Amino acid sequence: MKLQFFKLTLLISLSLTFTFFAQAQTAREEGLALYNQGKDREAIKLLKSALKNNKNDAEVLNNLGMAYLNVGNFKEARKSLEKAVEVAPQNSAIRSNLAYVYLFDRKADKSQAELETAIELDPDNANAYYIRATLNLWKSDYERAIFDADKVIQINQGLTDAYLLKAEALIYIFGREWGDEKEPVKSFNTFAKKIFEKLR
């Protein structure tokens, strides 16, 4: 009788464990799918639920952080992405996402440090170069912004935002140079030629 009771208890326990695991997996998969569909608020609920089963799931933490960022909750975005970096320190994409959150949070030094690490881990991380170009533009370091925008274009020509960022940096340089010129019209024509050559 005791053996049958033990078997029944074990069977119920295994069944409940399997059900809990299956629900957690479903929450994870559905949460990731919702995030990829741009349904951030719905994704947040399911991704938080999935973390109850595995609090060290770097992919879930990363997507949760980006979903929080998309809804404007920078504090939770930062916390999720910092945890994701802690769990997966060699993941360049996660580090560049954290750098992006730091940029929004106006933590330029922290953003710069994460970007340097992200690029060191993956020299072909176009996203990291794009974020660094944006950071350099904000810091009025237009030449470096152009260098990084060129790196993005070299890696991924389809990332049109890099062309816009480069053009913006060139316009700032033009404004600076034009302000120093005695003949602005002549300067504009010369500078316009330079811009078109650099954008090719």
Side-chain angles (χ1 to χ4, degrees):
M1 186 71 170
K2 285 184 180 180
L3 186 57
Q4 287 179 338
F5 179 75
F6 175 75
K7 286 180 182 178
L8 181 62
T9 304
L10 182 61
L11 185 61
I12 291 171
S13 176
L14 288 173
S15 176
L16 289 173
T17 302
F18 178 75
T19 302
F20 177 75
F21 179 75
Q23 287 173 340
Q25 278 302 107
T26 301
R28 182 186 193 279
E29 299 310 317
E30 287 178 15
L32 293 174
L34 286 169
Y35 170 75
N36 288 326
Q37 294 167 17
K39 297 178 180 176
D40 297 305
R41 292 191 191 285
E42 296 92 334
I44 288 169
K45 291 175 187 172
L46 288 172
L47 294 172
K48 282 174 65 177
S49 176
L51 284 175
K52 290 176 184 172
N53 185 48
N54 180 5
K55 64 181 180 177
N56 292 324
D57 186 328
E59 184 179 9
V60 169
L61 287 162
N62 179 56
N63 286 281
L64 179 61
M66 295 308 289
Y68 274 128
L69 178 65
N70 292 339
V71 299
N73 189 336
F74 303 123
K75 181 180 177 184
E76 291 301 322
R78 190 184 74 248
K79 283 170 52 179
S80 292
L81 287 163
E82 284 175 344
K83 178 68 175 172
V85 165
E86 184 183 309
V87 171
Q90 299 301 310
N91 189 310
S92 176
I94 293 174
R95 284 190 176 272
S96 58
N97 287 341
L98 178 57
Y100 191 51
V101 171
Y102 283 149
L103 187 65
F104 271 97
D105 232 359
R106 303 279 188 205
K107 296 181 186 319
D109 291 342
K110 285 186 170 189
S111 182
Q112 183 77 36
E114 287 299 332
L115 290 168
E116 298 307 324
T117 304
I119 290 168
E120 188 178 309
L121 290 168
D122 179 8
D124 292 329
N125 183 338
N127 192 37
Y129 286 107
Y130 179 78
I131 297 165
R132 192 169 74 175
T134 303
L135 177 62
N136 285 326
L137 190 67
W138 286 7
K139 290 163 60 175
S140 302
D141 193 343
Y142 307 122
E143 288 78 8
R144 285 190 182 170
I146 291 168
F147 174 83
D148 284 334
D150 281 337
K151 272 305 260 187
V152 175
I153 294 164
Q154 179 186 346
I155 295 166
N156 181 359
Q157 292 181 354
L159 194 57
T160 55
D161 285 347
Y163 295 94
L164 296 172
L165 196 145
K166 180 177 179 178
E168 192 174 345
L170 287 167
I171 289 168
Y172 279 119
I173 290 172
F174 167 71
R176 183 179 61 206
E177 289 182 7
W178 197 18
D180 295 340
E181 287 290 323
K182 300 211 187 305
E183 297 178 51
V185 174
K186 184 177 179 183
S187 173
F188 176 77
N189 291 335
T190 305
F191 194 78
K193 288 178 187 175
K194 286 183 192 176
I195 287 176
F196 289 119
E197 287 172 10
K198 287 186 177 187
L199 286 175
R200 285 187 208 159

